Structures are given as C-alpha cells and as structure tokens.
C-alpha cells in the first residue's frame, strides 16, 4: 500500500488523467496511522491542489491551505488545465443522471468523483445509479471499486445496491460471487425473495435478477402487507370493515354503469388511442374559428406551415450537429470541459426539441406583441420536455407495456360492483407488486432550472441565427425572430419576439393560420378513466408524469408526501373517485357559443372577439408630442387589448377542444394543491372554469330524474339565476313553476325569443338548465327522463362555516346556516345591515365619511370583503375591494377615505358577529409566526393524514447563465428546509390555508362516502355536484361528513403537533428568546356551546 501510494503520488506530477485516482487513494490511506506519512507526502505533491473530501477524518479543509495532522501543504501553483466549475448538489445529480441516460458511465463517474473532492456528499441513490451503469457495461472492476467506495463513505447498501451486484454476477455468470451477495442480503435482514418487489428495476434488469433467483431455487414472493395498517380515525369505518353509514340512492348502479356505455373491446381501443397520444406527446385539435379567405400578400405567399417545417428541419439538423460534436469530445477522459446543458439536451432526440420550439414556443410568441420572456420559454421546455423524456424512458424500459397490461386489469374493477367498496389506490399497488417481474417504476431525477435554462437559451439562440423569411418574392431576406432586453422591476430580462413584418403578415389571416392547434397531451382530457394515484408521480395519465400535488419537485411538501405515501390511501382514493367521473360535451350549447364566437362575440355573455391587432392612437401633429393623458390612455387601451386577446384565445382553445371531444365520453384526472384542494390537470376544458366553460359539460353517465329530480332542476335554475337564492326551497320551486313559459322560450329560441336566460348571474348554465327542464317536461314522463345535467349544492359562506364549527360558536353558526331555519340566513346582508347601522350612528355625530356614504352601503358593497376576510384578506386588500364597488357612486376625491372608513366598519362588524372565528384566526396566525421565528415553517396534518407545510420562505437566488442572458432565479438546488421562513407571510397565510385544508378534507370525505353509496360526485371546492336524482343522498352524506370532520379534536391535534415539533425550540422576537414549550397548548381559544348535530337538520347548510 505504501509503495502504491508513493508511486501514484509521483505520477500525479506527470499525468493529469491519474490525478483523481491518486488523490482518492492518498486520502483513503491517510485513515491509518502507518500510512499517514506517505499519504501526507502524496498530498504535498498535489500540484492541482484540489480540496480534500470532508469524509476523511485525518484531512481538514482550510480557506488558504490543507493540513494533515499538523503537516502543512505549501501553496500550489495555478492549475494548467481548466478547472470544473462547481455545481450545486442537485445540479451535479442531474448532470450525472443525464450522462448515465446517454450511456456515458465513465464521464458520469468522473463528474461524481470531481464533486466528492469538492466536499459534496451524495446519497445512496446516486451510488446505485452508477452501479447499474457499470453493471450494464459489464465492467466488474469499476462496479466493485464503486461498491467499496460506498462502504468507505459510510453508506450501507440497500436492496437496490444488491440488485445491481446480482445483475453484474448474472452478466458474468459468476455464481460464487452471486452467492456471497445473497448472504450479505440475508445478513442485513432483507429477504431475497422480495428483491423484485422492493426495488425499482426496468424489465431487462428484473429478468436478469429473476435468473439469479431461479439458479439458486429462490422463488420471488410478494411481501406481505402491513398487518396493522392504520387509517385516520375519520375514515377507519370505511377501510377497516366497519359500517360506513352509507345511504342508498333511488336509481340503481354506481360507477360500474360506465360499461353500459362502453364495452370492454371499445375500452381497449380507447386505451390504445390514449397510449398513442401520450407516446407522441401531443394531439392536433382543429380550430372552431371560421376560416376566411386570406388577403393577397399574406398567408398565401408566406405559406406558414411550410415555413414552420423548414425551420423545424433546420433546427433539428443544427441540434444534431451540436450533440454529435459534444459526444465526440465526451470520449476524452477529462470531464472538466462539459457544458452543463449537454446531457439534458442529449436526453431527447433533436427533432423533439425542435418540435417543442416551433409548435409550442413560436406559436405563443407570434400571439404576444411584447414577446415571450426567456424564463417562460424555459418553463415550457422544462415541463413539456420532461414529460416527453419520461414517456420515452418508460417505452424503452418496458414499463409502458407493463402499465398498459395492468390497466386492462383495472378496467375489470371499473366494470364490477366491487368498485364501490374497493380502494383503487391499493388495487393498483397490488397490481404493481404482482407484475414486479415485468419491471418496476423508474426513479428519474427532475431537471433543474439552471440546466434547462441553459438548454432553452441555447436552442433559442440557434433559432434566432437560423430562422429567416422572405415576405415579398424577390425581396430581402429578414430574420423571422430576434431577442431584446427589457427591464422588469429590478431585473433586466431577455424577450423573444417575432419580426413585425411576420406579425403583420399573419395578423389579418390569423384564423387561416390557426386552423389546427398543436396541443400537448397534458392539456387534453383522457379517453379512458385516469390511472389511480399511488405516489407523487404515479397516477393520472397512463404514462405522462403529473404530480399529485402542485408543489415544486424539491419542496419540503414533496418530501413529506413521499415519506407519508403509505398513509395517504384515503386522500388518493378521493382524487381517484372524482377523476373517474365520465363527462360528455353539451352539444346544443357548444353550437350556440361557436356560432356567437364566429359572429364577433358578445362581452355581456363572456364571449370576446378574437383580434390580433392593437389599435394605436393617432399620431400627434408634426412638432408636437403626446400629452401625459394621451399616453396613459394608450397604455390602458393596449393593456385592455392584450387582456381581450388572452380571453379570446383561452375561449378558442376551450371551444376547439370541446368540438374535438364532442362525440366522445372523456375523463379529467385530478390533482391537488399543497392544502389538498382538488383541481383538474387539463387547464382549458374542465368544470372549474367560468360560467360558459361549465355550461359546455355534462355527466357522461345519465340517471333517471326519479320522484324529486325535476324539482331539484327547478331549484337549481333559480339558484343559478340568482334572483331568489335567499328564499326557501319551496318558494324557489314555485318561482320556477311561474317561469316555465320563460324557461321554454329560452330553450327554444335563445337568441330570437325574450332572452330571459340572459338576465341571469350565470346565463349559459341557466340556458343549459332551461333545455334540460324543457326536454324532461316534453318527454311525457319526467321521472323516467335520463338527465345528464350536474346539479350544484353550494356551501353558505363555507370558510365561516368551518370557523363556526371549530369554535362551536352559536351566533356565528346561526349566520352561516349551521342551524335549521325556514329561510336561509344571508351573512352578507347581515353584515351590510350592521355596517349601515354604525354608519347612521356616526352620521348623527357629524362624521364626514358617514354622511357622504348615505344610501351607498348595501350587500354588494361588502360581499367580497366578507367572503375573503375569512381567507386572510388584509385591511389594504379589503379597502381595494370596497373601492371598486363604490367607484362612480361618490366623488373620486373622497373615495379613498370612504373606502378606508367602510373596511373598518366591516372588520369590526365581523369581529362582533364571529368573535370565536376571529380568536381562532389570531391563534393560528400567532403559532405560525412563533414557529417561523424559531426557524421552521408551520406544519400540520389534516384529519385525513395529509401533511401540509406552508411554502413561504425567504428566497435564495442564483445566477443561471445561457447564451442570451444571465438571470437571477430562485435556487431550486438549495434544500427548502434550510431556507429561513418568511415569518410575515407564514403568519398571515396560516388562517386561510388551514381553513382551505379543512374544506378540502370535507370534500374528500364526501367523495369517499359517495363512492360507497354509488352516488356520482365531483366538486368545485365548496360546491358539490351530482345528478338531480341523488341530490338528497349527497346532501345527507355532505352533512354527516361535516359533523364527522369537526367531531375530531382538530385544534388540539394541531397544538399537540406543534408542541412535539417546536416545543424545544426558542422563538426570538425583538432580541428576546422565548422557549416555546407549552405555549401552543395553553393558548387554544375557548369554544362555545354549539352542538354539531344541528347541521344534520339544516336544509340550507349546503343548498
């Protein structure tokens, strides 16, 4: 060993290539006393002077020199070769994985060793990936060296590590070595039989491991499920075989009635089509915009599609040349030259990058007069490129084939009665375990912002230099795109813009050019029910990755969800159930909207006109300049035109997708935000949009109206209209009966008749309901009429309902309909009355603002502020809301002081009316700030076990370099838990986020019990939707689950968790440190005497 170290130390001065190996051995040998002198000599001869890894106890790092137990290392000369720029840990891992995906194992290990010398410590997953890399190459020596390096770094191999060694033994047919590995597996307490089920292996590797097991007559066994898996108390009856108290609906059938519409063979065809769409990554969607003949000199001569193909081919060729050049250089052993973006760029075929650039980016750029920021382009590349990469890897590894096979088995569950009582999440997990020999899910590293920013800058720069066009035959060739630098706040950003001549050529013929949209697969509904959620990235689309929670990949929330994955079965099942609801397009409404859109639209009906051009104000006379007021008007006009264009394009996308899926049944996968609120993954066509968007959708499975279905349709149309929402249910039904002639007229002649539907708050949904009621009555047998229309039940100021229940506040409960009343209570009217009463008192005292506001204050003025105060609206925000409502009713010079006066009255009135709610809000705000001042973000668990962490930290930025600009961006390589929390945001956001997590839990509980009862259920947060025939059943479940939710000790559980996590910490405020032990539990607000069972009898709790 001594001789070897000495010789390697001498070789360092001669060959840079052996420097890394020499330094590794020298540091390793410095651990033993007998070898330390020789190791010290080797380190003294290190002319490249690299920092020594911190893992070595005998070597210490200093700012100016390296010391080895008192021996000083002289200052070295400047290196003669370029040094590797230090990457952050997450950047290094991303680079290593990128190189491994390209089969460049030698270069990946070179980057790995360089960073170890820089003191960066890697987790076991990086060693395992390198092990598999060398195993696939069949390099036994390098794999063994890496395996021993893992031990020397203090890491213990896991089953994934041993799987790599077993695969290597199989490749080399070294059965003795394989036997030794099996003994080591057993010595660590693992079971060899479970290795296929507890590791992530593609099909080829799983096949080799299976051969090893067969050689030693070891069978592959499925590991047993946890014997006593614990479920949250609130759903224990559902999952542990007890009574679920489910109600039964009048109509027969649950989710399994889906197969009455689509047989098994048709489902297989749909699955293949969905598979092809996701594999391709996009779908061509024809536009519904009316095509007009292009003017002379525009599209006919430009030939836009041909031009795009030319640019795409040119860009593809350039990227192929660049990647080829990089690969040739990568054959060298020296890895210091590597550009960071190379591995990421090479992960996808050049034609895919070119297609994303031309079809996704340029289409957006041309529609943006001010161009598109390079950071936004980077986000497009990151999201779309990552999805394409994952799908490509799944297809290569055989995972895609396995998942399609599993999905066929899952369809069997959907067609059976067992769907109502089976956990879809657990069912899919069991399928994955049973098919482990066909390969497990891939463990892929998400692309970092810094690397993808370099890739996007590189591709954009190539496009700018190599895209050109000729507007007029024989004219000059001009660049089609260019980039400019503009200031945005304190930053200087680069923007990609289309040449004005190109924009002008496309402006008047935009509808001709946009005959077909290139839609990414994640922006479209699915042709089959979504894959059940089983983990953070496993669920939703069949192959395309979509996160179950809308949080960044490196966030603490992400890590918590991964840690608690096994306990989130109920949360996943709820998302799976709302996502399994089939939908169809309401074709009569779609035809009307498309026709109106192509005729120029109607802003009153939320149908804007599609216009690309932004009218410019007249130029000032010669020698004169625009006045300040003219310039201000031009800016406002320009802003309004951009907003209208954005709204028009959003509607055009929605209508085009709706037309594309017009004759199909489709599904929308759901995920959630960090608080648990559910959202659809497709952004355009869904039920969480505006009135028009909702009117386009109907349930894919219809149900007979039954005895009370028609009555609920009538109540629903009155609720949507908005004129009689605060009268009793019986009065609403009678009012609807009196309006039947208007309803029939609206259904038959929406634009030619009396147009009653256009007077509604939600006109398009009212029109849809008019047609449904008309069809049911004219069917001759309304009870047998099969209705597809969703009927809504909305919470009555739902945030305040949760606060009233938390505080057991009888006065607050009365105002938000937790008690039974003959007519629903209107919180907004009650607050407006209190505010007006206080104003009258102040006016009698000659208060200036109180006298000005006489006759101004009403329900509409205070509604938005009352609605949002429970979600944390500030004094400033409330003043802006009220200022908007009183605009034009009083003189402009007094508007500021008057709005300030009103918001004070609103806040004081709410505090009187909901005193317990305000105390709970203050307590939540206080504990969040205490945790933040102790250096932690507040964390809690919902009653369903979902971990929630507020993502408000003081940002840490880094400089991302590209060929176009250097941009300071948020550093996603810094572990989020190491960033200091923002105490101000943590405190102000805690009350609304906590209540949002409760309303999300209530929605999920209702969904789970509706599944057991066979009741169709979807939701828009606190608005629950179902068929008309099952409104009563859903209403009963909704009330029962609200009572069950608030029967849990929610505030006490939160206080106990805070005591456990932050009790031993000190919170500093104004230089004073306070030990937090006991400060959470002792300050829980007192509760009132409201009894939750009153909710079960309240008809207007949700109505």
């Amino acid at each position: 060993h001594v001789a070897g170290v000495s010789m390697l130390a001498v070789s360092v001065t001669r060959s840079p290539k052996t420097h890394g190996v020499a330094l590794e051995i020298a540091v390793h040998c410095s651990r033993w006393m007998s070898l330390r002198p020789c190791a010290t000599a080797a380190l003294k001869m290190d002319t490249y002077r690299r920092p020594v890894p911190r893992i070595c106890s005998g070597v210490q790092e200093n700012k100016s020199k390296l010391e080895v137990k008192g021996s000083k290392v002289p200052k070295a000369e400047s290196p003669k070769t370029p040094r590797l720029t230090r990457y952050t840990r997450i950047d290094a891992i991303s680079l290593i994985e990128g190189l491994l995906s390209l089969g460049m194992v030698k270069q990946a290990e070179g980057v790995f060793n360089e960073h170890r010398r820089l003191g960066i410590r890697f987790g076991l997953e990086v060693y395992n990936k390198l092990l598999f890399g060398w195993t696939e190459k069949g390099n036994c020596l390098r794999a063994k060296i890496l395996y021993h390096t893992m031990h020397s770094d203090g890491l213990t191999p896991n089953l994934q590590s041993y799987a790599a060694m077993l695969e290597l033994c199989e490749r080399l047919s070294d059965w003795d070595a394989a036997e030794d590995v099996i003994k080591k597996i057993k010595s660590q307490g693992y079971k060899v039989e479970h290795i296929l089920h507890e590791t992530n292996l593609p099909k080829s590797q799983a096949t080799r491991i299976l051969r090893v097991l067969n050689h030693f007559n070891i069978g592959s066994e499925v590991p047993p499920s946890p014997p006593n898996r614990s479920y949250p108390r609130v759903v224990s009856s559902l999952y542990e075989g007890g009574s679920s108290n489910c109600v039964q609906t009048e109509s027969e059938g649950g989710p399994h009635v889906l197969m009455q519409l689509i047989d098994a063979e048709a489902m297989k065809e749909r699955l293949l089509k969905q598979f092809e769409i996701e594999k391709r990554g996009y779908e061509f969607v024809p536009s519904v915009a009316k095509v007009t003949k292009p003017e002379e000199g525009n599209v006919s001569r430009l030939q836009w599609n041909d031009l795009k193909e030319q640019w795409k081919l040119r860009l593809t060729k350039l990227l192929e040349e660049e990647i080829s050049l990089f690969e040739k250089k990568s054959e060298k052993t020296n890895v210091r030259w590597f550009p960071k973006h190379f591995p990421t760029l090479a992960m996808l075929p050049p034609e895919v990058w070119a297609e994303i650039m031309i079809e996704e980016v340029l289409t957006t750029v041309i529609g943006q007069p001010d161009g598109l920021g390079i950071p936004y382009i980077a986000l497009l590349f990151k999201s779309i490129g990552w999805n394409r990469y994952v799908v490509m890897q799944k297809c290569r590894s055989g995972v895609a084939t396995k998942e399609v096979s599993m999905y066929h088995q899952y369809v069997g569950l959907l067609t059976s009665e067992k769907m109502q009582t089976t956990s879809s999440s657990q069912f899919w997990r069991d399928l994955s375990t049973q098919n482990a020999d066909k390969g497990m899910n891939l463990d892929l590293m998400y692309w970092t912002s810094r690397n993808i920013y370099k890739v996007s800058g590189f591709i954009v720069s190539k496009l700018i230099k190599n895209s050109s066009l000729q507007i007029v035959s024989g004219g000059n060739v001009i660049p089609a795109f260019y980039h400019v630098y503009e200031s945005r706040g304190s930053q200087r950003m680069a923007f990609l813009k289309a040449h004005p001549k190109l924009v002008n050529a496309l402006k008047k013929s935009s509808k001709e050019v946009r005959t077909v949209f290139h839609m990414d697969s994640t922006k479209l509904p699915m042709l089959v029910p979504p894959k059940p959620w089983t983990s953070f990235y496993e669920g939703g689309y069949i192959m395309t990755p979509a996160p179950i929670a809308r949080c960044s990949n490196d966030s603490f929330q992400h890590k918590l969800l991964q840690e608690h994955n096994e306990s989130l079965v109920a949360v996943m099942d709820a998302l799976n159930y709302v996502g399994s609801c089939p939908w169809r397009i309401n074709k009569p409404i779609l035809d009307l909207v498309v026709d109106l859109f192509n005729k120029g639209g109607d802003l009153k009906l939320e149908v804007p006109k599609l216009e690309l051009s932004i009218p410019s104000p007249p130029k000032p006379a010669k020698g004169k300049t625009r006045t300040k007021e003219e310039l201000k008007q031009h800016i406002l006009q320009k802003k309004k035109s951009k907003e209208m264009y954005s709204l028009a394009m959003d509607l055009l996308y929605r209508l085009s997708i709706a037309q594309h899926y017009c004759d199909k049944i489709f599904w929308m996968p759901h995920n959630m935000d960090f608080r648990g609120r559910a959202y659809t993954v497709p952004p355009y066509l869904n039920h969480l949009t505006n009135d028009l968007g909702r009117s386009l959708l109907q349930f894919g499975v219809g149900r007979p109206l039954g005895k009370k279905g028609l009555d609920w349709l009538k109540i629903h149309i009155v609720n949507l209209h908005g004129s009689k929402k605060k009268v009793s249910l019986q009065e609403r039904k009678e009012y609807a009966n009196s309006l039947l002639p208007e309803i029939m007229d609206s259904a038959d002649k929406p634009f030619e008749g009396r147009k009653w539907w256009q007077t509604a708050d939600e006109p398009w949904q009212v029109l849809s309901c008019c047609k449904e009621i008309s069809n049911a009555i004219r069917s001759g047998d309304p009870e047998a009429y099969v209705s597809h229309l969703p009927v809504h039940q909305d919470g009555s100021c739902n945030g305040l309902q949760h606060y009233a229940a938390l505080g057991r506040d009888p006065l607050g409960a009365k105002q938000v309909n937790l008690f039974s009343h003959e007519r629903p209570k209107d919180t907004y009217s009650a607050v407006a009355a209190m505010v007006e009463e206080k104003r009258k008192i102040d006016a009698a005292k000659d208060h200036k603002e109180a006298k000005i506001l006489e006759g101004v204050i009403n329900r509409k003025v205070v509604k938005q502020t009352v609605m949002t105060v429970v979600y944390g609206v500030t004094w400033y925000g409330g003043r802006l809301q009220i200022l908007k409502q009183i605009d034009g009713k009083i003189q402009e010079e007094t508007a500021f002081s008057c709005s300030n006066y009103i918001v004070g009255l609103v806040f004081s009135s709410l505090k009187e009316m909901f005193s317990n709610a305000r105390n709970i809000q203050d307590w939540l705000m206080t504990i969040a700030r205490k945790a933040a001042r102790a250096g932690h973000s507040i964390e809690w668990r919902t009653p369903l076990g979902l971990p929630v962490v507020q993502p408000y930290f003081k940002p840490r930025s880094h400089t991302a370099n590209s060929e176009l600009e250097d941009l300071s961006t948020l550093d996603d390589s810094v572990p989020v838990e190491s960033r200091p929390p923002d105490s101000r945001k943590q405190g102000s956001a805690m009350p609304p986020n906590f209540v949002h997590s409760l309303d999300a839990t209530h929605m999920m509980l209702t969904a789970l019990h509706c599944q057991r009862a066979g009741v169709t259920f979807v939701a828009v947060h606190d608005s629950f939707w179902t068929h008309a025939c099952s409104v009563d059943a859903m209403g009963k479940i909704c009330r029962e689950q609200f009572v069950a939710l608030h029967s849990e000790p929610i505030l006490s559980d939160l206080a106990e968790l805070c005591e456990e996590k932050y009790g031993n910490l000190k919170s500093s405020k104004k230089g004073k440190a306070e030990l937090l032990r006991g400060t959470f539990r002792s300050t829980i607000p007192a509760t009132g005497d409201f009894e939750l069972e009153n909710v079960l009898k309240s008809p207007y709790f949700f109505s």
Side-chain angles (χ1 to χ4, degrees), residues 97 125 129 160 200 386 440-445 562:
E97 181 165 300
E125 70 279 359
K129 288 179 180 180
Q160 193 81 11
N200 285 322
W386 165 255
M440 296 293 282
N441 298 323
L442 301 178
D443 182 19
L444 301 174
M445 177 70 190
Q562 289 181 318

Side-chain angles (χ1 to χ4, degrees), residues 660-673:
H660 188 63
Y661 285 83
C662 191
D663 299 322
K664 304 180 180 76
I665 302 293
F666 56 89
W667 289 260
M668 289 179 280
H670 284 61
N671 60 7
M672 60 185 175
D673 64 12

Side-chain angles (χ1 to χ4, degrees), residues 870-939:
V870 68
Y871 297 126
V873 70
T874 61
W875 186 289
Y876 175 77
R879 185 181 61 76
L880 290 180
Q881 292 170 346
I882 290 172
L883 185 63
K884 184 179 179 181
Q885 295 298 328
I886 64 175
D887 183 34
K889 297 180 181 179
I890 59 176
Q891 294 181 357
E892 189 175 349
E893 55 269 19
T894 61
F896 178 87
S897 60
C898 288
S899 62
N900 210 42
Y901 171 70
I902 295 174
V903 76
L905 296 182
V906 171
F907 277 34
S908 63
S909 300
L910 282 170
K911 193 168 185 179
E912 293 174 21
M913 189 178 293
F914 299 96
S915 56
N916 282 16
R918 193 65 195 176
N919 293 337
I920 294 171
Q921 277 186 306
D922 292 342
W923 180 72
L924 292 172
M925 195 178 301
T926 300
I927 65 172
R929 284 179 176 162
K930 283 181 179 179
R933 289 178 184 133
H936 290 263
S937 176
I938 189 73
E939 177 186 339

Side-chain angles (χ1 to χ4, degrees), residues 10 34 98 135 274 343 392 418 494 527 539-540 566 586 884 923 952:
V10 172
S34 59
T135 296
Q274 181 66 33
M392 185 177 71
K418 293 181 180 179
L527 296 172
E566 291 298 321
N586 189 342
K884 184 179 179 181
W923 180 72
Y952 312 117

Side-chain angles (χ1 to χ4, degrees), residues 724-770:
K724 297 286 185 179
K725 284 185 70 173
K726 299 307 172 185
V727 299
S728 68
L729 295 177
Q730 181 62 30
E731 287 174 304
R732 295 181 213 180
K733 186 172 69 172
E734 291 172 358
Y735 180 65
N737 287 331
S738 69
L739 286 173
L740 279 178
E742 298 294 336
I743 291 173
M744 296 294 191
D745 177 75
S746 294
D748 296 337
K749 298 178 287 185
F751 290 104
E752 298 81 17
R754 294 185 291 273
K755 305 178 185 178
W756 170 80
W757 65 278
Q758 295 188 21
T759 65
D761 292 345
E762 311 284 351
W764 289 106
Q765 290 179 86
V766 166
L767 179 59
S768 178
C769 198
C770 286

Side-chain angles (χ1 to χ4, degrees), residues 1039-1056:
R1039 287 160 175 77
E1040 289 173 348
Q1041 296 317 305
F1042 185 86
V1043 172
L1045 168 64
H1046 284 283
S1047 296
E1048 297 291 312
I1050 296 172
L1051 296 183
S1052 298
D1053 286 349
L1054 175 60
E1056 291 298 329

